[in-house]
Amino acid sequence: MTLRLAVPSKGRLMEKTFSWFAGHGLGMALTGGDREYAAAIDGADIDVLLMSAGEIPRALAAGRVHLGVTGSDLIRERLAGWERSVEPVTPMGFGHADLIVAVPKVWVDVTHLDDLDAVAAAFRARHGFRLRIATKYHRLVREFLREAGVADYQIVDSQGATEATVAQGSAEAIADITSTGETLRANHLRALEDGVIHRSEATLFRSKQASWDKARLAAFEALEPRLTGG
């Protein structure tokens, strides 16, 4: 039986994924042109499906695919108790970005999470509502701030440019992915010194929920050393 592999469907993440597999002796190419959501892979009996990176975690968790390439941040955000449904096979060395908590640069006395907690309490006392943190990563941010003891805040869902929400007046702080920090600086924001929530990287994951019969398991075990360098 054939293994099913989900890879990102567009942009640099797709290009780097194709290059990564090629570098491991598994040439990958689109089939039927750029608008077709399918690809073929040389050197292995694998069906390649093109999906958005955000869709791949749920496809893995549902067992619709055996293997999938996506950001480790998306796995942790989209899947509660992710370790029960997927496991990492290998990091892929690209797609690096940090999910961080950032505040306005003018908050000169707010450099750590303890400072944010104090500011949040004072903000609520002064304004009558909780300090707003804009993010797309609700689960990861809540878990991180709970462990840090930050309580007086509310999550504001951001589906656009999260870094712009403070300037627009819809949030007081943000939690977002950053790779170089340039966008933060352009929006007069800076990361808290202890505000790294997760260091993300493109990773090849294996589904624990997919059908792993003897043939598929044998195929994966034969393929794994090529993927991991083992």
Side-chain angles (χ1 to χ4, degrees), residues 3-4 56-68 75 79-88 205-213 216-217:
L3 294 174
R4 292 165 63 86
I56 291 173
R58 294 194 179 100
L60 285 162
R64 297 197 302 271
V65 297
H66 299 88
L67 302 167
I75 287 287
L79 305 179
W82 64 273
E83 300 97 331
R84 296 191 299 270
S85 55
V86 302
E87 63 180 1
F205 288 92
R206 184 175 81 90
S207 171
K208 295 181 178 180
Q209 307 301 319
S211 174
W212 288 98
D213 55 29
R216 290 192 179 103
L217 189 58

Side-chain angles (χ1 to χ4, degrees), residues 1-207:
M1 300 292 286
T2 303
L3 294 174
R4 292 165 63 86
L5 165 67
V7 302
S9 60
K10 61 181 66 174
R12 288 181 57 81
L13 196 55
M14 182 183 75
E15 294 170 5
K16 287 182 175 292
T17 298
F18 279 34
S19 295
W20 186 90
F21 276 95
H24 288 74
L26 299 166
M28 189 181 294
L30 293 171
T31 58
D34 291 344
R35 295 183 182 276
E36 294 293 331
Y37 285 86
I41 193 166
D42 295 329
D45 186 17
I46 299 175
D47 286 340
V48 181
L49 290 76
L50 301 183
M51 301 181 182
S52 71
E55 182 184 1
I56 291 173
R58 294 194 179 100
L60 285 162
R64 297 197 302 271
V65 297
H66 299 88
L67 302 167
V69 174
T70 190
S72 55
D73 59 316
L74 293 175
I75 287 287
R76 286 160 174 79
E77 173 63 23
R78 302 292 172 89
L79 305 179
W82 64 273
E83 300 97 331
R84 296 191 299 270
S85 55
V86 302
E87 63 180 1
V89 175
T90 185
M92 301 176 74
F94 60 89
H96 294 281
D98 294 342
L99 176 59
I100 53 89
V101 179
V103 298
K105 285 184 179 179
V106 295
W107 291 12
V108 294
D109 294 328
V110 182
T111 58
H112 293 77
L113 290 164
D114 285 346
D115 303 322
L116 180 65
D117 184 46
V119 165
F123 184 92
R124 187 179 184 186
R126 179 176 180 180
H127 296 282
F129 63 93
R130 288 185 172 91
L131 181 145
R132 298 165 296 176
I133 300 176
T135 188
K136 300 178 179 71
Y137 295 86
H138 297 209
R139 186 194 310 280
L140 285 172
V141 172
R142 286 197 177 99
E143 290 176 354
F144 179 75
L145 294 180
R146 182 175 62 249
E147 291 177 3
V150 180
D152 277 328
Y153 72 92
Q154 59 180 311
I155 293 292
V156 175
D157 185 55
S158 170
Q159 294 302 321
T162 302
E163 299 92 341
T165 56
V166 173
Q168 293 167 353
S170 56
E172 285 70 50
I174 71 163
D176 200 20
I177 285 287
T178 182
S179 54
T180 65
E182 291 183 7
T183 306
L184 290 178
R185 290 189 289 272
N187 286 276
H188 309 290
L189 301 169
R190 57 176 170 76
L192 296 180
E193 292 185 19
D194 57 352
V196 177
I197 299 171
H198 176 66
R199 297 191 185 279
S200 184
E201 180 178 357
T203 302
L204 176 64
F205 288 92
R206 184 175 81 90
S207 171

